[in-house]
């Protein structure tokens, strides 16, 4: 019985980044979680943690990312997006870090990426960069390289140079006259010689661009999640997906949270009475 109590007491559900003893426990837990869920990539013999692993480390510390903006920096020759992400400590509502990142279709392997994929990768990289700025030493303590795997994408795969294919030598029995024959030319008729008229450009249909939840909507969601009637599991699940919400879903989530809080507070008041 005493051993069970000691085990329960030693188990840490959440960690405080300001306490080195707790964060070292987190490093051990983090190494196991990343390994079991394969949240890393081996690049040139070194292991780099994916952004999901950085998010897990942040969530154990109560630190979650908020996308401030995703800016289109494209031009006629290049498709490029920049993203800014801030880190919010849900315990006190303070901003504890930030990160900027860009993604371009000029990078190796991204030549044929669609626009939404370029914007999404900029956002993913910014999340990893923001966490790296404050948690790099914890990732290092867990035994991994202190750079998010997504930042290593620029290295890409080495481009394969075209290799000339060997040509077959002409058969010895081939007649020499055939090899020296001049190409036959034909005079084009006046109609054929006239330059072709340029074809009219095909009509293009622009796909609607999804509008992500605004910073104001995210702040309202985080404020509501800090209510005491919201469980830790509900808070973690919502915060891990907050950057995937569009404006409509964010508005629905805010409305739903308000109803849940109102219902639970009414139930608690009834129970207390």
């Amino acid at each position: 019985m005493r051993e069970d109590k000691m085990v329960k007491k030693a188990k840490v559900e959440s960690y405080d980044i300001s306490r080195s003893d707790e964060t070292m426990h987190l490093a051990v837990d983090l190494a196991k979680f990343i390994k079991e869920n394969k949240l890393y990539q081996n690049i040139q013999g070194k292991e780099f943690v994916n952004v999901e692993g950085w998010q897990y480390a942040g969530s154990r510390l109560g630190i979650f990312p908020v996308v401030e903006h995703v800016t289109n920096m494209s031009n006629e020759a290049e498709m490029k997006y920049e993203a800014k992400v801030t880190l919010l400590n849900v315990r006190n509502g303070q901003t504890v870090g930030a990160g900027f990142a860009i993604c371009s279709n000029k990078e190796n392997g991204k030549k044929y990426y669609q626009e939404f994929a370029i914007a999404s990768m900029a956002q993913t990289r910014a999340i990893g960069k923001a966490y790296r700025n404050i948690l790099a030493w914890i990732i290092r303590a867990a035994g991994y390289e202190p750079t998010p795997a997504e930042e290593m994408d620029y290295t890409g795969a080495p481009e394969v140079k075209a290799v000339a294919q060997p040509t077959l030598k002409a058969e010895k029995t081939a007649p020499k006259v055939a090899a020296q024959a001049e190409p036959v030319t034909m005079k084009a008729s006046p109609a054929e010689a006239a330059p072709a008229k340029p074809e009219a450009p095909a009509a293009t249909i622009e796909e609607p661009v999804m509008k992500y939840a605004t910073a104001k909507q995210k702040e309202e969601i985080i404020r509501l999640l800090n209510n005491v009637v919201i469980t830790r599991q509900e808070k973690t699940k919502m915060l891990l997906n907050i950057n995937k919400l569009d404006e409509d879903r964010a508005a629905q989530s805010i409305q739903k949270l308000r109803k849940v809080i109102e219902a639970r507070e009414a139930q608690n008041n009834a129970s207390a009475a």
Side-chain angles (χ1 to χ4, degrees), residues 20-267:
S20 59
D21 56 338
E22 288 190 5
T23 48
M24 290 310 296
H25 281 293
L26 172 59
V28 175
D29 173 76
L30 191 59
K32 181 180 178 182
F33 182 85
I34 293 173
K35 196 75 173 179
E36 290 178 349
N37 293 278
K38 299 180 180 179
L39 299 180
Y40 65 92
Q41 294 182 33
N42 191 302
I43 302 175
Q44 297 181 351
K46 297 181 179 180
E47 294 179 343
F48 297 83
V49 180
N50 296 338
V51 72
E52 292 86 358
W54 290 87
Q55 285 180 307
Y56 175 75
S59 67
R60 297 305 301 270
L61 293 163
I63 299 172
F64 294 90
V66 176
V67 178
E68 294 293 330
H69 67 251
V70 179
T71 305
N72 188 347
M73 302 176 66
S74 306
N75 54 47
E76 294 181 357
E78 181 181 17
M79 188 187 302
K80 181 166 65 174
Y81 276 81
E82 179 195 70
K84 177 187 178 183
V85 168
T86 57
L87 298 179
L88 187 70
N89 188 332
V90 296
R91 295 175 179 174
N92 53 28
Q94 294 182 351
T95 299
V96 295
F100 288 86
I102 62 172
C103 183
S104 165
N105 67 341
K106 291 291 187 180
E107 299 174 25
N108 288 340
K110 293 182 173 57
K111 182 178 180 179
Y112 300 106
Y113 269 37
Q114 295 186 35
E115 186 171 1
F116 77 90
I118 297 293
S120 179
M121 178 53 75
Q123 175 180 299
T124 300
R125 287 177 176 174
I127 292 172
K129 186 68 176 180
Y131 276 125
R132 183 197 187 285
N133 290 338
I134 64 170
L135 301 182
W137 62 279
I138 295 178
I139 296 294
R140 170 66 81 180
Y144 296 92
E145 294 299 314
T147 302
E150 288 74 13
E151 285 193 33
M152 303 301 295
D153 279 358
Y154 71 90
T155 58
E159 295 185 0
V160 180
K161 296 183 178 179
V163 180
Q165 298 295 327
T167 56
L168 295 175
K169 293 183 178 179
E171 295 286 343
K172 292 182 179 180
T173 57
K176 296 182 179 180
V177 176
Q180 297 175 354
E182 295 182 359
V184 179
T185 60
M186 296 180 65
K187 293 183 179 181
S189 63
E192 292 176 345
K197 294 182 179 180
E199 296 182 0
T204 58
I205 301 175
E206 295 185 359
E207 297 182 0
V209 179
M210 184 178 68
K211 294 183 178 180
Y212 287 101
T214 64
K216 188 175 181 180
Q217 285 179 315
K218 293 176 182 178
E219 290 175 3
E220 178 63 11
I221 290 174
I222 292 171
R223 186 187 69 80
L224 293 171
L225 289 174
N226 283 328
N227 194 293
V228 293
V229 300
I230 302 298
T231 66
R232 179 182 179 82
Q233 290 76 13
E234 292 171 334
K235 181 187 297 184
T236 301
K237 183 179 179 180
M238 176 65 75
L239 289 173
L240 286 176
N241 293 286
I242 194 170
N243 291 319
K244 299 177 182 179
L245 298 176
D246 57 26
E247 289 186 350
D248 292 337
R249 290 175 61 194
Q252 294 172 6
S253 298
I254 291 172
Q255 187 177 7
K256 184 178 179 180
L257 280 170
R258 287 173 178 169
K259 289 181 178 179
V260 169
I261 292 171
E262 184 179 352
R264 291 180 182 177
E265 287 180 344
Q267 184 178 0

